Amino acid sequence: MVKFAHIADCHLGAFGRNPDLREYNLKAFEKAIDISIEREVDFIIIAGDLFHNPHPDMDVVNRAVQTLMRARRENIRIYSVYGSHDFNIARASLIDVLESAEVFKKVVNYLEEENRLVLKEDPSGVSIAGLSGRKNRADVSYFEQIDFSFPAGDDKSIFVFHSPIAELKPAEIHEERSLPLSSLPENFDYYAGGHIHMKIADSDNSIYYPGPTFGASYTDLVRDERGFYLVDDWEPEYIRFEEPEILSKRIDAEGLKIEELEEELESLLNELMEGDILLLKVFGRLSQGTPSDIDFNDIKSRLKGKGFDTVYLNRRELDGEELEHIKVKEEKEEEIERRLLEEQVGDEFGQSFGQELLKVLKMEKKDGETEHDYEERIWEEVWELVKKRDEYETGTDEAEGKENTEGQYEEKEYSREKGVGGQITLSDFGGDRS
Ligand SMILES: [Mn+2]
């Protein structure tokens, strides 16, 4: 009897600006692997987005490899596809490096001449095939192009993918970005999904999404399910992580005067609260005063003093009545930029996005670099930043009950040329690039 773990959307390296959340995220992944080892699985499937970006920090890589190698030393095989985050169209991603080092095997194995996917056979006798995800409509058309008529066999089989399925997806994901159920290859015994950051189980069709092990955004953290699937003799069991305990608070500041918002915050500070992580969302338009009249750093540290490991403040949707006058003191250029961003941009992510964007835009042309190459380089860097930001601005905040049109899975139409002559090639899609 075969036993395997189905993990997805670990996003290792996420929350780069919040060391506590970054650590929680890494720990959750380690826990998933360690539980898989304890439960003596034959193999582990990682259905994309193992890393938060294609070239993560080396300390994150080191933690991930140490963890994966614990499983490898117990002779547990690991199979993966690219997600939308850990894939880079232009350069090899860390996923490629880990495959080369035989930490795991990619199960995207496509024969271009024959236009078909090849199954990889695990020593347990289970055959595995997969397709990687892309932040792009390309993956939809890809599924339509590939011949999925696998040679019939008696082996049990698993199909790994990193895309939303139209019939199963949450409402905020656009229909046209999703695959119709009918586009999945038939007759697999288990469909191991990734990309959707919530647990979805369609037992009729044997399609499962475990959702993230921890999450990579505020919206992910507001959702209360984190974990992975452990599949024993083809029966999926959801392993839910009860820890860390995440508490979510919201303050509607619509129409409040600044003093009234301060009172609200004070009364929150007097509330009895327990947990490891506090998520605080303050939103709405003040009728008088501006958000920067409030010392949010002080509020955060006082909330933290109530026993939380970390306080994650989201005030992107908090607006003031009038714009402030910008005061410029005698300070260095960088300090002015940093201060203005802190004053004008509500959240830490936006502030660091602004800083990084300014840094990129100030990059100088290298010696010998052509104008064209220089522009390309700047564009690539900006593109990477924008992708990160779009991913951060995640989908509908359910508790809020209103549509957020900037859905996590919605992509803007970027006029990027794809592949040769604009054609989408398999290497665009994450196949073997050799
Ligand atoms: Mn993801």
Side-chain angles (χ1 to χ4, degrees):
M1 270 191 290
V2 68
K3 199 191 287 182
F4 65 92
H6 168 200
I7 298 171
D9 295 286
C10 309
H11 287 265
L12 303 181
F15 300 112
R17 298 298 180 290
N18 185 323
D20 297 304
L21 292 178
R22 185 172 179 268
E23 182 60 25
Y24 270 122
N25 182 45
L26 283 159
K27 285 248 163 65
F29 169 68
E30 289 167 349
K31 185 153 77 178
I33 299 295
D34 288 338
I35 291 172
S36 304
I37 297 169
E38 265 169 49
R39 299 279 296 262
E40 300 182 325
V41 299
D42 296 288
F43 55 88
I44 296 169
I45 287 173
I46 300 172
D49 285 353
L50 172 57
F51 294 102
H52 194 54
N53 68 63
H55 310 109
D57 289 346
M58 279 305 141
D59 61 327
V60 172
V61 175
N62 195 27
R63 288 276 290 275
V65 171
Q66 281 173 355
T67 308
L68 293 169
M69 288 310 290
R70 283 205 290 278
R72 298 289 292 123
R73 277 193 289 274
E74 302 294 327
N75 194 30
I76 295 169
R77 284 79 63 191
I78 304 168
Y79 300 101
S80 191
V81 296
Y82 295 103
S84 32
H85 278 256
D86 45 22
F87 174 68
N88 186 300
I89 200 163
R91 291 181 284 171
S93 82
L94 192 67
I95 299 295
D96 303 295
V97 177
L98 296 186
E99 154 128 324
S100 301
E102 296 181 15
V103 175
F104 54 63
K105 283 195 173 82
K106 281 189 294 182
V107 284
V108 190
N109 201 358
Y110 175 75
L111 287 187
E112 200 134 26
E113 312 81 64
E114 298 173 37
N115 187 35
R116 64 181 180 90
L117 279 181
V118 177
L119 293 158
K120 271 199 165 84
E121 196 178 330
D122 178 75
S124 65
V126 174
S127 295
I128 306 167
L131 280 180
S132 294
R134 281 289 314 284
K135 260 206 84 186
N136 196 305
R137 242 194 273 205
D139 51 2
V140 181
S141 60
Y142 233 90
F143 273 79
E144 286 160 5
Q145 286 165 29
I146 294 172
D147 177 6
F148 279 135
S149 51
F150 292 98
D154 302 330
D155 285 351
K156 288 284 195 178
S157 57
I158 298 170
F159 184 74
V160 189
F161 65 105
H162 189 89
S163 313
I165 299 291
E167 288 87 341
L168 304 176
K169 69 177 181 53
E172 70 262 24
I173 301 180
H174 279 222
E175 197 76 32
E176 61 187 41
R177 314 284 175 189
S178 313
L179 292 167
L181 198 56
S182 59
S183 68
L184 285 178
E186 287 174 9
N187 299 323
F188 281 83
D189 298 280
Y190 186 94
Y191 295 83
H195 188 58
I196 295 183
H197 283 200
M198 58 200 293
K199 187 187 92 180
I200 295 174
D202 174 8
S203 52
D204 288 346
N205 294 301
S206 304
I207 302 171
Y208 296 88
Y209 291 90
T213 41
F214 181 72
S217 68
Y218 183 88
T219 312
D220 287 349
L221 296 187
V222 171
R223 292 195 181 110
D224 65 350
E225 273 184 317
R226 276 160 274 282
F228 70 103
Y229 277 110
L230 211 131
V231 187
D232 190 352
D233 196 22
W234 307 98
E235 273 306 317
E237 172 197 355
Y238 183 69
I239 309 290
R240 185 192 168 120
F241 293 163
E242 305 291 344
E243 286 170 357
E245 202 182 324
I246 302 179
L247 185 68
S248 178
K249 292 279 177 185
R250 302 163 58 80
I251 293 180
D252 184 352
E254 186 66 40
L256 296 188
K257 295 194 178 96
I258 198 79
E259 298 80 29
E260 290 168 329
L261 175 56
E262 272 168 340
E263 277 167 32
E264 293 270 334
L265 288 163
E266 281 302 327
S267 75
L268 178 72
L269 276 156
N270 291 323
E271 262 182 50
L272 211 61
M273 293 187 284
E274 256 181 84
D276 301 306
I277 298 170
L278 174 67
L279 305 174
L280 173 60
K281 180 164 184 166
V282 186
F283 60 98
R285 179 173 284 271
L286 294 165
S287 65
Q288 174 260 306
T290 62
S292 61
D293 292 342
I294 291 175
D295 186 349
F296 279 104
N297 283 333
D298 177 57
I299 303 281
K300 269 169 77 173
S301 68
R302 285 167 69 197
L303 283 167
K304 211 173 155 178
K306 292 176 75 75
F308 294 99
D309 267 1
T310 189
V311 176
Y312 191 8
L313 175 68
N314 177 340
R315 54 184 182 101
R316 315 166 62 80
E317 292 165 32
L318 178 64
D319 288 322
E321 175 59 12
E322 70 261 34
L323 274 178
E324 289 170 285
H325 294 285
I326 292 167
K327 312 167 216 69
V328 179
K329 301 178 214 152
E330 274 183 59
E331 25 182 29
K332 281 191 204 136
E333 191 185 337
E334 293 79 29
E335 283 166 10
I336 296 171
E337 285 169 5
R338 188 181 44 76
R339 186 170 58 77
L340 290 181
L341 285 166
E342 270 173 22
E343 284 176 12
Q344 304 297 324
V345 183
D347 65 305
E348 286 169 34
F349 187 89
Q351 290 163 16
S352 72
F353 174 76
Q355 276 179 336
E356 287 183 49
L357 188 61
L358 283 171
K359 214 158 71 186
V360 169
L361 294 174
K362 281 194 269 186
M363 289 197 307
E364 283 174 20
K365 200 159 149 266
K366 290 180 190 161
D367 274 351
E369 192 174 32
T370 65
E371 203 65 46
H372 175 264
D373 286 352
Y374 173 59
E375 277 173 21
E376 272 291 297
R377 187 162 58 87
I378 300 280
W379 169 239
E380 275 297 328
E381 297 275 351
V382 171
W383 169 245
E384 287 296 326
L385 284 177
V386 168
K387 272 201 299 195
K388 267 195 235 168
R389 190 205 53 192
D390 285 356
E391 282 301 318
Y392 179 85
E393 290 175 347
T394 50
T396 310
D397 193 341
E398 282 143 318
E400 206 171 329
K402 68 174 182 188
E403 269 280 306
N404 177 354
T405 49
E406 299 247 353
Q408 177 184 3
Y409 306 97
E410 183 190 6
E411 289 122 35
K412 298 175 183 75
E413 291 297 335
Y414 299 105
S415 54
R416 299 280 296 159
E417 214 179 284
K418 292 183 194 71
V420 182
Q423 290 300 303
I424 292 149
T425 68
L426 191 80
S427 63
D428 289 341
F429 188 65
D432 291 330
R433 44 185 78 227
S434 52

